[in-house]
Amino acid sequence: MRIISYCDALREAMIQEMQRDDKVFVYGIGVPDHKAIFGSTAGLVERFGEKRCFDTPLSEDAMTGFGLGSALNGMRPVHIHIRIDFMLLAFNQIANMLSSHNYSSCGLLKVPMVIRGIIGRGWGQGFQHSKSMYSTFAHIPGLKVVLPTTASDAKGLLISAIRDDNPVIFIEHRWLYWQEENVPEQSYTIPFGKGNILRKGSDVTIVATSWMNVEAIFAAEILAKSGASVEIIDPRTIVPLDEDLIMASVEKTGRCIVVDNDWEFCGFSAEVAALVSSKCFNNLKAPVKRIGFARTPCPTARHLENEFYPNAKSIIREVEDMLGLKPVSLEGIEFYSHEKRFKGPF
């Protein structure tokens, strides 16, 4: 074991899979350039050549169709979108083609294709570069949707995605790229549909996605000083979803807050709230609450952007309200920001 970053864990997964299987190739806008998708594809073109690592034109729809055709013919493409917003330009291919070939062929045709989409805020990138959209993909039967939070999960889940025989949407938050953790050097897989308990607790369950797990852990550490015991569940994959893990936690704590890196309306948080309300109703001590983006396009001005995104402070106040605790003073506490390069806490 050695400590590497989330970004390097992704890169290592790609290298190991390209070494293991010469049918794996990676492509997308900016994949082989000097920035190399925040460094996650650095060195791939030098190691594997331009036939297995190449740039593409601004033609997301056609390039997704190209990946579909190659997958149907036995290849294992990994298509990368440096901003998930532009996957909308390929939505016809994803929703009408990739997702349904296995079903429409009675399982005879496989589509082993991975689409990596990057989310997360930067420095005032506005409404064109700030969407999450994983709920949109999760809505479509035939697609698996993966959201790794930790570096070790990023590697194991990406290897699982590449080896999967049908399309996987793999969502990465850019702030998590700096996170560092002990990651096994050898190749390994993490099964889809198995969530992770990031922190054990007894008073309230927080179900969080992607970067929101980092904020939830920070919030839980502050709340612990007030005596509140918070359990944090990271689903890892929202399709398939580890419903049993979520329900077991809520049945233990009796309370649930869903903290999502997305808008609340018709989103993943609504799905979990419905699940918990339906299957844990008799054990609930309070209604399920949700935290997500403000109901507006993301503003560009920093002070407005800060109000758009939830953070540990939002979580602390929601937990205090649910548990009937007196609000703790947050004066002097430094919350995460783009300028503070994140390396923990996993």
Side-chain angles (χ1 to χ4, degrees), residues 97-162:
M97 306 297 175
L98 262 74
S99 64
S100 54
H101 261 73
N102 185 258
Y103 175 80
S104 63
S105 66
C106 296
L108 295 175
L109 295 177
K110 309 292 185 186
V111 185
M113 180 172 179
V114 179
I115 299 179
R116 286 178 51 194
I118 298 169
I119 62 173
R121 62 185 293 190
W123 49 91
Q125 58 200 356
F127 60 88
Q128 308 98 325
H129 299 79
S130 57
K131 295 178 184 65
S132 291
M133 301 219 331
Y134 40 78
S135 298
T136 306
F137 298 116
H139 186 67
I140 300 167
L143 299 177
K144 300 181 181 75
V145 181
V146 181
L147 291 109
T149 300
T150 69
S152 58
D153 281 0
K155 179 176 176 180
L157 289 168
L158 182 54
I159 291 175
S160 293
I162 293 172

Side-chain angles (χ1 to χ4, degrees), residues 62-79:
M63 290 301 101
T64 306
F66 159 77
L68 169 62
S70 64
L72 288 171
N73 283 280
M75 301 299 286
R76 291 187 175 273
V78 179
H79 191 192

